[in-house]
Amino acid sequence: MPTTDPEKKKAKQARADAKRAGRTRNFATIVYPESAPADWMERLDQYHIAALVSPLHDKDKNPSGEPKKPHYHVMLMFESPADYESKVAPIFAEIGGVGRETVGTARGYARYLCHLDNPEKAQYSPSEVRCMGGADFHAITNLPTDDLKMLGEVFTFIQEQGIYSLAELLTVSQIHHPEWFSMIAMSRCYVVDKFIKSLAWEQETGYVRAADRQPAACDQDTGEVLPEK
């Protein structure tokens, strides 16, 4: 029977709120290589829980300018809210996780693994993020602006390396730039292919871009274009 006592209602509500406070979908911790088990990543992988492990943060600095101890950021992502004390804390303890970091959103924290939104901090490569348990770093973190930035990098790479084959670009990207490969294969293949074909056409036809053309000489009085000498 539901209680009618106001004080008991408050106590019951407080217990429910406390229980919910310890339950969420995403949890994060820090792992210091010097104090964690040598096989901590393998141990984590064996839980088959969606997880992201940052590149080794070995270039971070304190506000005073002193270097921080090298460390990894680890985020666990559950399909439904999980209790920290019973389900998450034992995992963190086994892998040598220190503390519990606040995760506002999975995307925001995942992007923090490489400091993607913190240009004032040391930058780390997304290709070095380790994905476990079916986690997809690119799918979690990707924003339209990220694609545009990477497209610029891809276009520059194509021109500098003289690549006129989409197959070659995908092969190179798959090996050396996994983030490019994911972006091109999943959503930007059409525009990249068109870019490559346009460059190839320019090479074949000797097309001269507008910025490289010499302005035509004109008669100062009539404005007519003068014949080339």
Side-chain angles (χ1 to χ4, degrees):
M1 173 181 279
T3 181
T4 58
D5 187 322
E7 293 303 319
K8 289 184 177 180
K9 282 185 176 181
K10 288 182 180 180
K12 183 178 180 180
Q13 185 62 48
R15 288 195 296 272
D17 291 343
K19 186 175 181 179
R20 281 194 296 271
R23 294 174 62 85
T24 184
R25 295 174 184 269
N26 308 308
F27 300 85
T29 190
I30 293 177
V31 174
Y32 295 96
E34 61 186 31
S35 57
D39 62 344
W40 70 269
M41 287 195 191
E42 288 75 13
R43 295 189 189 190
L44 177 60
D45 198 21
Q46 290 176 359
Y47 279 96
H48 304 296
I49 296 171
L52 295 175
V53 179
S54 75
L56 178 64
H57 281 217
D58 55 0
K59 297 186 288 290
D60 291 0
K61 294 183 179 181
N62 292 310
S64 61
E66 298 177 352
K68 291 184 178 181
K69 290 195 300 183
H71 59 277
Y72 294 92
H73 292 273
V74 179
M75 178 169 65
L76 305 185
M77 296 167 287
F78 295 87
E79 294 182 358
S80 59
D83 181 70
Y84 176 76
E85 294 299 335
S86 64
K87 194 167 186 177
V88 182
I91 298 175
F92 284 175
E94 181 173 354
I95 67 174
V98 178
R100 173 184 175 183
E101 294 194 279
T102 300
V103 178
T105 66
R107 171 178 283 179
Y109 194 86
R111 292 177 64 83
Y112 183 75
L113 297 181
C114 297
H115 295 159
L116 296 181
D117 300 314
N118 302 91
E120 75 283 1
K121 295 179 179 288
Q123 298 296 295
Y124 300 96
S125 173
S127 65
E128 295 179 11
V129 174
R130 180 159 179 173
C131 302
M132 302 180 183
D136 187 330
F137 178 78
H138 178 75
I140 294 171
T141 61
N142 188 56
L143 296 171
T145 50
D146 295 330
D147 277 5
L148 292 176
K149 180 180 178 181
M150 280 194 287
L151 275 174
E153 295 173 355
V154 169
F155 291 165
T156 298
F157 180 80
I158 290 171
Q159 294 180 91
E160 290 179 346
Q161 300 300 317
I163 293 178
Y164 301 107
S165 164
L166 179 61
E168 180 184 6
L169 175 66
L170 288 172
T171 300
V172 172
S173 298
Q174 190 174 19
I175 298 172
H176 300 291
H177 298 280
E179 68 278 14
W180 290 2
F181 180 80
S182 296
M183 183 266 296
I184 296 170
M186 297 297 291
S187 61
R188 307 298 178 182
C189 192
Y190 178 82
V191 68
V192 172
D193 186 49
K194 286 293 186 182
F195 184 81
I196 289 175
K197 288 180 178 178
S198 294
L199 286 180
W201 176 83
E202 290 183 6
Q203 289 291 323
E204 292 172 1
T205 62
Y207 176 81
V208 179
R209 296 188 175 187
D212 299 323
R213 297 172 197 160
Q214 292 292 334
C218 298
D219 186 282
Q220 293 184 355
D221 296 324
T222 65
E224 294 181 357
V225 177
L226 298 176
E228 294 184 3
K229 295 181 180 180

